[in-house]
Amino acid sequence: MLRPRIPSMPRPTGLATPPVVVQPTAVEPAPAPTSPAAPAPVPASPARPVVQLTPGTAVALVGAGAAVVLVVGAVLVSMLLATAVTAASVAVCALVIRSLSGQQSKRR
């Protein structure tokens, strides 16, 4: 009645193309240079642009860093506060349960 059904592998529905056969080719060595070639000229400008730190960008970086530190600090402090509130509520619940169980044992 409740037997699991194992799915079967689906069969391909379209035409299957055979794999392409790669034919090996002979490698020919490069001819030796007859005269020494001149070295390639060094480019005058660097390939990557250089980042220039202006006073405005320095202030922006400091401001962004301070904002990140404040946000991360606020998140960490709120997590610590949530843990403290949870611990206090668990302690109060433990005291109430202990008080109730103590009153039941005195009545008997």
Side-chain angles (χ1 to χ4, degrees):
M1 181 174 146
L2 296 174
R3 293 186 181 178
R5 301 275 174 145
I6 300 173
S8 62
M9 284 292 291
R11 297 178 188 242
T13 56
L15 294 174
T17 58
V20 177
V21 178
V22 178
Q23 298 293 335
T25 57
V27 178
E28 298 177 6
T34 55
S35 65
V42 178
S45 64
R48 293 183 355 191
V50 177
V51 177
Q52 298 203 359
L53 194 61
T54 62
T57 56
V59 170
L61 286 175
V62 168
V68 167
V69 167
L70 288 176
V71 168
V72 169
V75 168
L76 292 178
V77 167
S78 65
M79 288 173 60
L80 182 64
L81 182 63
T83 304
V85 168
T86 304
S89 64
V90 168
V92 168
C93 289
L95 288 176
V96 169
I97 291 172
R98 182 178 176 188
S99 169
L100 290 175
S101 66
Q103 287 178 359
Q104 285 182 350
S105 65
K106 288 182 182 178
R107 287 184 188 167
R108 292 185 183 178

